[in-house]
Amino acid sequence: MNQTNTTQQQPDQTFALVDDISESQAADIFVQARLAKQRLDKLTLDVRLDSVRKLIDYIVQNRDEIIDVLCRETRKSRTDALVSEVLGVLDNFEWLLHNAKSVLKDKKVSTPITLLGKKSRIIHAPLGTVLVIAPWNYPLHIGLTSILAAYVCGNAVVFKPSELTPMQGLFEKLFSIDPILQQSIQVVYGTGVTAQRLIDQKPAKVFFTGSARTGRKILSQCANALIAVDLELGGKDQAIVFEDVNLRRAVKGVIWGALTNAGQSCSSVERVYVQQRIYDEFVEMAQQEIDRLVINSGDAGNADIGGMTADFQLDIVHAQVQDARAKGAHILTGGSPLDENELFYLPTLITNVDSSMSVTKEETFGPLIPIMPFSTEEEVIRLSNDTEFGLSASVWSADLKRANRVARMLECGAVSINNVMLTEGNPGLPFGGTKNSGYGRQKGVEGLLGYTCSKSILIDTNSSKIEPNWYPYTRSKYVLFDRLIAAQFTKSPWKLVKAALIGMKLEGLASKDR
Ligand code: NAD
């Protein structure tokens, strides 16, 4: 394992300390948010998309400064900040520019023959005020993609970043480039207590990204007030490697998927299943690949793996290694922090693991790579679905039929075939989980519509007509409705004609009083 000689710029503190807001401050924030929503109601989608365009320009021009802040607060490597955070945000914003109009425009819906003369459509109305609560691992990407998607849909947004990576002032600076953005989005600092006080103000929806533990608490708080919640939670994502792969490429992909952002990604590879015949070679190549990696932060773009953001996360990672070791696992490389005083954990390859070990069951959120052999397709599907999580996975095989078959059988929200964490690279694909990884979707059409209320509109263009199902109810109408059901729902080439004839008779009766 290499450590470059670049000067390290360590953050001053592990925790960026922030005060919690009071209940009355939370109430004021929501008064402002509701006023902002009223102002937004008067503006068009074009105006909101213009804010996105301005933000893209600002971020592109100021990306170095933004990356400095990100690296300082998270300790991530500069390339992780540039690619996964800045590029990720820009890709999502561009998707909004190209797609929001077609996704959010009113949709015509066909109207059945029994409702002849009427027109139907769906309006994608904003929800009102959306509360976005974010974690610390991708503070810019997760924050901005959620906030702007909600805003583009016409919602006012209250945003609570993680208290570990508040990046104080950065979001405000970004939003200050456009007065409408500035009025519509409020950034509120604080811990979970602040988030709870904000939820007490009854936002129309809480969009939460974070741990399953916190997700449960949010869900139970929201249950009382029937507040809608989307939960983007943790994972225990698997890579499944079949024996027919290009081995070098699969090893490089899996190792990157496990170690990017120092393993602090909800969808990083946390379990690797390798088919028996190539298992030994895969492990050997993985070890060689890890040995070439450079650990550093405060780098100039030349470090592979940055630091851990939180000391408690490093402790969780190390506890999993110690548990595995005590239960007989082999630690092939790594297995400890780089040194006592820094928040770097060595990439750790672990073999001889079994289901009794926390490293195979619980979310790690760090640079550990447990590798397990498997024999058959059925076996690996069973093993990999045997988890309480279901976020994403990768399947590696030259046989695309098999890879597709396996992908369909995996209980999770996303599968990359012959690549890793790449569904997230396409902003048109929804992202989200199953099981304890949560529900609701971020990104893509489904993600954007999650910030809207689908409002159904039916327009009756024939205002003089009395409907046959309105009063008075008469025996003659009853008989005709009964025949209509028989005509409409019985297989016959004449069913439409029969239904139309009965419909005409019903309309004739409708215009008469009893
Ligand atoms: P966390 O759950 O500890 O905190 C997330 C946010 O919730 C923070 O802003 C925190 O202040 C807030 N919070 C804490 N207690 C709260 C409460 N009672 N009510 C309301 N809000 C509260 O998560 P974390 O440690 O910041 O992030 C790591 C977790 O996030 C991992 O489990 C990771 O897998 C998950 N994650 C998921 C996704 C995804 O898209 N599925 C993406 C990134 C991270």
Side-chain angles (χ1 to χ4, degrees):
M1 192 70 38
N2 297 318
Q3 197 183 350
T4 57
N5 294 324
T6 350
T7 318
Q8 292 191 20
Q9 296 165 0
Q10 287 303 312
D12 300 335
Q13 52 194 14
T14 300
F15 294 97
L17 297 173
V18 281
D19 290 332
D20 279 307
I21 56 165
S22 66
E23 282 155 14
S24 76
Q25 282 172 318
D28 289 345
I29 287 162
F30 270 79
V31 168
Q32 291 307 317
R34 289 181 177 115
L35 286 173
K37 166 66 174 55
Q38 286 170 13
R39 282 192 296 265
L40 269 177
D41 284 345
K42 299 189 182 93
L43 300 175
T44 61
L45 174 57
D46 278 326
V47 173
R48 301 196 295 275
L49 287 177
D50 204 41
S51 313
V52 177
R53 217 166 273 122
K54 286 182 193 160
L55 258 185
I56 291 178
D57 290 347
Y58 183 88
I59 291 172
V60 170
Q61 280 161 22
N62 296 280
R63 59 188 187 279
D64 277 345
E65 190 191 320
I66 294 170
I67 291 167
D68 286 344
V69 178
L70 272 168
C71 292
R72 213 169 39 239
E73 291 220 3
T74 63
R75 296 179 178 83
K76 60 179 71 192
S77 72
R78 202 163 179 87
T79 306
D80 276 341
L82 178 74
V83 179
S84 305
E85 299 256 27
V86 174
L87 180 59
V89 164
L90 293 172
D91 274 346
N92 277 286
F93 283 2
E94 190 145 279
W95 186 90
L96 287 176
L97 287 184
H98 291 133
N99 297 281
K101 273 195 169 171
S102 68
V103 176
L104 297 177
K105 75 174 183 207
D106 294 359
K107 305 261 177 333
K108 278 188 189 158
V109 173
S110 69
T111 309
I113 191 162
T114 42
L115 301 181
L116 203 66
K118 281 96 170 156
K119 286 183 182 158
S120 308
R121 73 171 65 127
I122 301 169
I123 291 174
H124 298 297
L127 295 166
T129 52
V130 171
L131 172 60
V132 173
I133 304 174
W136 46 261
N137 61 332
Y138 291 110
L140 185 85
H141 184 162
I142 292 174
L144 281 183
T145 48
S146 315
I147 294 168
L148 266 291
Y151 166 78
V152 159
C153 292
N155 299 290
V157 183
V158 177
F159 172 57
K160 200 210 76 70
S162 168
E163 61 274 32
L164 269 66
T165 53
M167 306 196 295
Q168 288 217 23
L170 178 66
F171 287 100
E172 291 88 333
K173 205 166 173 183
L174 293 174
F175 303 144
S176 72
I177 60 161
D178 180 349
I180 303 157
L181 263 183
Q182 202 171 26
Q183 286 167 6
S184 308
I185 303 164
Q186 295 176 80
V187 185
V188 184
Y189 301 103
T191 66
V193 173
T194 289
Q196 286 171 318
R197 291 188 175 145
L198 293 171
I199 295 171
D200 280 340
Q201 296 304 314
K202 300 195 173 77
K205 183 165 193 173
V206 176
F207 193 95
F208 173 71
T209 308
S211 63
R213 183 190 62 251
T214 309
R216 279 191 193 94
K217 288 186 198 160
I218 291 178
L219 198 56
S220 72
Q221 190 185 352
C222 288
N224 267 339
L226 295 176
I227 298 168
V229 189
D230 269 8
L231 297 175
E232 298 280 357
L233 309 177
K236 192 72 196 165
D237 293 2
Q238 67 274 40
I240 298 173
V241 186
F242 285 97
E243 60 190 13
D244 58 355
V245 287
N246 172 334
L247 198 54
R248 181 170 174 271
R249 184 172 180 277
V251 168
K252 278 188 150 320
V254 168
I255 294 300
W256 178 82
L259 301 180
T260 182
N261 213 35
Q264 299 160 110
S265 299
C266 52
S267 56
S268 48
V269 174
E270 296 208 351
R271 296 175 293 155
V272 185
Y273 296 98
V274 180
Q275 203 159 17
Q276 194 76 60
R277 195 172 63 80
I278 59 164
Y279 179 79
D280 288 342
E281 205 181 346
F282 186 100
V283 171
E284 198 185 318
M285 286 173 81
Q287 196 165 347
Q288 287 163 6
E289 175 72 9
I290 289 173
D291 285 342
R292 280 194 286 268
L293 299 176
V294 173
I295 301 188
N296 200 359
S297 76
D299 63 304
N302 49 353
D304 300 298
I305 305 176
M308 308 284 299
T309 301
D311 49 7
F312 66 77
Q313 194 60 46
L314 186 139
D315 293 344
I316 292 171
V317 169
H318 193 51
Q320 289 194 358
V321 171
Q322 285 173 313
D323 171 71
R325 194 181 264 134
K327 289 173 179 161
H330 301 157
I331 312 296
L332 300 189
T333 181
S336 65
L338 182 64
D339 76 50
E340 269 180 26
N341 303 317
E342 306 279 7
L343 286 184
F344 293 107
Y345 201 88
L346 290 168
T348 302
L349 206 56
I350 314 176
T351 57
N352 207 33
V353 286
D354 64 46
S355 59
S356 72
M357 300 171 185
S358 56
V359 74
T360 59
K361 284 187 305 204
E362 292 163 22
E363 185 177 40
T364 302
F365 223 54
L368 307 186
I369 316 171
I371 310 191
M372 295 152 272
F374 73 90
S375 303
T376 64
E377 186 178 320
E378 292 70 26
E379 182 196 10
V380 78
I381 290 169
R382 182 177 47 75
L383 287 171
S384 66
N385 281 341
D386 184 20
T387 165
E388 63 189 41
F389 293 105
L391 193 54
S392 71
S394 63
V395 179
W396 302 76
S397 173
D399 179 350
L400 286 184
K401 266 195 180 160
R402 166 166 66 185
N404 269 297
R405 199 166 57 227
V406 173
R408 282 170 193 279
M409 296 302 289
L410 298 181
E411 296 163 355
C412 60
V415 182
S416 295
I417 292 177
N418 290 324
N419 213 305
V420 65
M421 296 172 79
L422 203 59
T423 60
E424 289 148 78
N426 178 355
L429 285 173
F431 185 76
T434 60
K435 305 202 274 190
N436 286 2
S437 295
Y439 47 77
R441 290 293 179 264
Q442 173 75 297
K443 306 202 246 191
V445 174
E446 289 85 348
L448 198 60
L449 290 178
Y451 294 106
T452 66
C453 158
S454 295
K455 194 183 278 184
S456 297
I457 305 284
L458 186 133
I459 305 159
D460 195 336
T461 48
N462 185 0
S463 59
S464 63
K465 199 170 121 191
I466 309 289
E467 296 294 342
N469 61 308
W470 293 352
Y471 300 131
Y473 289 170
T474 65
R475 178 68 195 161
S476 325
K477 278 198 205 174
Y478 182 91
V479 171
L480 282 172
F481 270 121
D482 192 55
R483 281 195 209 149
L484 184 69
I485 289 172
Q488 215 182 330
F489 301 103
T490 308
K491 219 175 162 189
S492 153
W494 306 107
K495 70 179 207 178
L496 279 184
V497 179
K498 283 185 192 168
L501 286 173
I502 297 168
M504 279 160 60
K505 283 188 191 166
L506 269 169
E507 288 197 358
L509 282 183
S511 57
K512 295 179 188 151
D513 281 331
R514 204 186 295 267

